[in-house]
Amino acid sequence: MWIAENWKDYTVLDCGGGEKAERWSDQVLVRPDPQAIWPKQEGCRAWDKPNAVYHRSASGGGKWEIRKLPEQWAVRYKELTFQLKPMSFKHTGLFPEQAANWDFIDQMVRGAGRPVSVLNLFAYTGGATLAAANAGASVCHVDASKGMVGWARENAASSGLAQAPIRWIVDDCKKFVQREIRRGRKYDAIIMDPPSYGRGPSGETWKIEEDVADFIALTMELLSSKPLFVLISSYSTGLAPSVMAYLLGITAGKRAAGHIDAQELGLPVQSTGLTLPCGSSARFIAEA
């Protein structure tokens, strides 16, 4: 398991009963977590005075109960700063377990010893984009949501990366990849975090189990002749680490020599010292 254990501004205080209590800088949130099927720790005070609680509805969705929470606040991870706010469907605009991948991206880009171009697809609010840019890469950031791309740009400015070589693209990822192939564009590293289900800006539908295999194969046509890495993440239970590793093996693995590793992502839990599983990732690392 790849564990995001280098946070200072974020902590899972406790988890259980289908929920987790988290500290985001000075704010404590309680949110649903379907992995936390065990009981909460008896006597744990983490649950006592949260700033906000997300209540899941039995009919689907849910809503925030805001007790004392700013409309927006910041958290830092090493040299990066992210702006957070409560969103629909329990989100805050950041997946803290992805810090394990940000560290990987930073290490790979800094260790390349050459200019590196990175394509980040389904790029959300820009965690991987900022990690790559901060390490010295040029980045193409693509997401179908104009609001998410704007939020990512705000995070870049907060992190001192407003002038970094980042292309900000609002587009359906598949259509963008197809155009980049026609243009003959190449990238040294490709990152993607496809949703389980989604719609593009023109109503395009995406279902991960049906679409991801063909999409990965298509996207690998953008790999340069000297690739650095490919990183895929997923929060879909139907896409186990071994499945993603297999997909990389028959795509990236046939384009360049290298090795593949795939693991769950995890976050340390303060109350128990154990690790909360949070999705998974697969990495193809090309031979130098």
Side-chain angles (χ1 to χ4, degrees):
M1 182 180 286
W2 290 317
I3 303 173
E5 54 191 358
N6 295 318
W7 276 99
K8 294 182 179 178
D9 270 11
Y10 174 85
T11 307
V12 178
L13 302 171
D14 190 32
C15 54
E19 294 182 310
K20 57 187 172 186
E22 313 158 286
R23 179 182 61 80
W24 301 77
S25 187
D26 296 329
Q27 311 301 323
V28 174
L29 306 182
V30 171
R31 299 189 295 160
D33 193 305
Q35 300 283 359
I37 61 174
W38 45 85
K40 297 176 182 177
Q41 291 293 302
E42 291 187 14
C44 180
R45 305 298 300 273
W47 308 90
D48 289 355
K49 295 182 179 180
N51 298 88
V53 179
Y54 188 87
H55 298 286
R56 179 70 58 82
S57 170
S59 59
K63 64 178 181 179
W64 285 97
E65 176 194 349
I66 305 297
R67 298 178 182 178
K68 188 178 182 182
L69 188 74
E71 291 186 4
Q72 182 169 308
W73 74 102
V75 299
R76 288 184 58 84
Y77 182 77
K78 297 183 177 179
E79 297 175 336
L80 306 178
T81 300
F82 300 95
Q83 300 297 323
L84 305 184
K85 52 191 171 185
M87 300 169 58
S88 60
F89 197 64
K90 78 177 183 179
H91 296 311
T92 64
L94 194 67
F95 292 91
E97 61 275 8
Q98 286 291 333
N101 282 328
W102 305 339
D103 289 344
F104 165 76
I105 294 165
D106 182 276
Q107 178 185 2
M108 293 298 297
V109 172
R110 292 185 192 274
R114 58 183 170 96
V116 175
S117 58
V118 175
L119 174 61
N120 187 15
L121 300 166
F122 310 99
Y124 196 50
T125 58
T129 293
L130 302 190
N134 188 62
S138 60
V139 186
C140 182
H141 173 110
V142 187
D143 197 277
S145 168
K146 182 178 180 181
M148 290 300 106
V149 174
W151 195 341
R153 296 189 74 154
E154 184 179 356
N155 286 335
S158 297
S159 300
L161 296 169
Q163 303 304 314
I166 303 172
R167 293 169 62 205
W168 304 101
I169 307 293
V170 179
D171 203 351
D172 174 75
C173 287
K174 182 177 180 180
K175 290 184 176 180
F176 178 80
V177 167
Q178 290 170 331
R179 283 196 296 272
E180 290 288 87
I181 291 171
R182 292 195 294 269
R183 294 172 184 137
R185 186 98 61 177
K186 299 293 182 181
Y187 296 89
D188 302 308
I190 296 175
I191 301 165
M192 66 177 79
D193 188 357
S196 297
Y197 178 84
R199 289 190 177 273
S202 300
E204 305 88 346
T205 59
W206 167 274
K207 295 181 180 178
I208 195 166
E209 288 85 359
E210 298 176 8
D211 298 325
V212 74
D214 288 343
F215 181 76
I216 292 172
L218 178 71
T219 304
M220 292 308 103
E221 295 185 38
L222 294 176
L223 273 180
S224 70
S225 58
K226 293 184 178 180
L228 189 61
F229 69 88
V230 178
L231 170 62
I232 302 174
S233 295
S234 175
Y235 292 89
S236 171
T237 55
L239 218 61
S242 56
V243 173
M244 291 191 288
Y246 197 100
L247 288 170
L248 283 180
I250 62 174
T251 54
K254 290 189 175 181
R255 290 185 168 269
H259 68 275
I260 297 167
D261 194 4
Q263 302 281 344
E264 286 185 289
L265 298 174
L267 288 165
V269 180
Q270 185 180 82
S271 62
T272 62
L274 301 175
T275 302
L276 176 67
C278 308
S280 54
S281 291
R283 303 167 179 174
F284 168 81
I285 302 172
E287 288 185 0

